[in-house]
């Protein structure tokens, strides 16, 4: 095995153990070396598009599958659906593994190009003198994008409307309780009344005796 083959084999084996995002960036580096203009998606919630490729004014879509086993046919069908939805020229399904016979047969007449592990290794081997540098460029670009993109500030919480000061409840002035007349005063008044009536009775009796 030549030194170039050893380097390519080492890179390919490393690729199997990289993060899914690093795998996408390596694929972007390979496509760029193949004269495409790649734009890498957000990495999550990408609607089935890992890389958008522009070449000669035509748009291609790439989906990267870092599998260790056979890629199921559903992956190809999903990619084809996105290709039709986005009105793209073609889709590329890239993997470190292989495709089932069913997938290979189904994609023959579809707008899907399959790139299995052997073909991916061949591309790495082809661009071995530039692939590592190009991959590092994509990594540093990714770091810069992450730093430059401002973290979304949480929307300021609406100031709670100031609680209305409870209007001081006007306490209705308590009616002064009229002082209760003590029973002693009642008694004195009653005794006064009785004495006055006795006097008037005596006067009338005197008058009647005088007349007689």
């Amino acid at each position: 095995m030549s030194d170039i083959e050893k380097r390519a084999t080492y890179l390919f084996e490393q690729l199997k153990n990289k993060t899914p995002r690093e795998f996408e960036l390596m694929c972007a580096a390979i496509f760029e070396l193949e004269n495409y203009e790649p734009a890498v998606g957000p990495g999550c919630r990408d609607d089935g598009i890992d890389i958008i490729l522009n070449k000669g004014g035509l748009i291609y879509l790439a989906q990267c599958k870092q599998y260790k086993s056979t890629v199921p046919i559903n992956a190809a069908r999903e990619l084809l659906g996105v290709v039709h939805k986005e009105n793209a020229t073609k889709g590329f399904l890239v993997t470190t593994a292989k495709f089932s016979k069913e997938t290979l047969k189904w994609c023959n007449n579809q707008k899907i190009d399959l790139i299995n592990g052997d073909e991916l290794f061949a591309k790495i081997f082809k661009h071995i003198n530039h692939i590592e540098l190009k991959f590092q460029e994509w990594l540093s670009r990714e770091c810069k994008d992450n730093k430059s993109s401002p973290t979304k500030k949480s929307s300021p919480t609406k100031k709670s409307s100031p609680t209305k000061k409870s209007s001081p409840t006007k306490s209705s002035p308590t009616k002064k309780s009229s002082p209760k007349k003590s029973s002693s005063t009642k008694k004195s008044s009653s005794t006064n009344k009785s004495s006055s009536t006795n006097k008037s009775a005596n006067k009338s009796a005197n008058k009647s005796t005088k007349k007689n």
Side-chain angles (χ1 to χ4, degrees):
M1 184 182 290
S2 66
D3 290 340
I4 293 177
E5 287 176 329
K6 287 180 181 178
R7 286 173 60 196
T9 302
Y10 175 74
L11 283 177
F12 182 74
E13 291 301 322
Q14 269 197 329
L15 196 58
K16 294 178 181 179
N17 299 318
K18 289 187 180 299
T19 65
R21 185 59 170 177
E22 288 173 337
F23 179 58
E24 291 174 9
L25 296 178
M26 176 62 86
C27 292
I30 292 171
F31 278 116
E32 188 172 3
L33 292 170
E34 301 261 309
N35 299 319
Y36 289 90
E37 296 177 15
V40 181
C44 59
R45 296 179 183 176
D46 51 15
D47 296 327
I49 304 171
D50 290 331
I51 308 172
I52 300 174
L53 304 163
N54 189 324
K55 189 175 185 179
L58 300 177
I59 299 299
Y60 303 83
L61 306 177
Q63 182 65 243
C64 308
K65 298 294 185 183
Q66 192 184 23
Y67 282 17
K68 293 182 180 179
S69 58
T70 303
V71 180
I73 192 172
N74 289 342
R77 286 174 175 164
E78 288 172 5
L79 178 58
L80 184 64
V82 178
V83 168
H84 288 313
K85 179 183 176 182
E86 300 296 330
N87 198 24
T89 302
K90 188 185 289 187
F92 293 100
L93 189 56
V94 189
T95 183
T96 50
K98 59 182 180 179
F99 300 100
S100 65
K101 291 181 181 179
E102 184 185 10
T103 305
L104 292 169
K105 183 178 179 181
W106 185 80
C107 289
N108 277 336
N109 300 319
Q110 305 294 342
K111 296 165 66 175
I112 300 288
D113 277 0
L114 302 176
I115 302 175
N116 62 20
D118 292 338
E119 292 170 305
L120 186 60
F121 173 80
K123 291 180 182 297
I124 292 174
F125 181 84
K126 176 183 176 182
H127 302 291
I128 193 64
N129 293 324
H130 307 285
I131 188 65
E132 291 176 283
L133 180 60
K134 186 61 67 177
F135 176 59
Q136 290 300 323
E137 288 177 2
W138 276 97
L139 280 177
S140 60
R141 196 181 307 173
E142 177 86 351
C143 292
K144 286 180 182 178
D145 290 342
N146 290 338
K147 289 180 181 179
S148 61
S149 60
T151 54
K152 291 184 179 180
K153 295 181 179 179
S154 57
S155 56
T157 54
K158 293 182 180 180
K159 293 182 179 179
S160 57
S161 55
T163 53
K164 294 181 180 180
K165 294 182 179 179
S166 56
S167 55
T169 53
K170 293 181 180 180
S171 57
S172 55
T174 54
K175 293 181 179 181
K176 293 182 180 180
S177 57
S178 54
K180 293 181 180 179
K181 292 181 180 181
S182 60
S183 57
S184 60
T185 54
K186 286 183 179 180
K187 288 180 180 179
S188 60
S189 60
S190 60
T191 52
N192 290 334
K193 285 181 179 181
S194 60
S195 60
S196 59
T197 51
N198 290 334
K199 287 180 180 179
S200 59
N202 292 332
K203 286 181 180 181
S204 59
N206 293 332
K207 285 180 180 181
S208 59
T209 52
K210 286 180 180 181
K211 288 180 179 180
N212 294 328

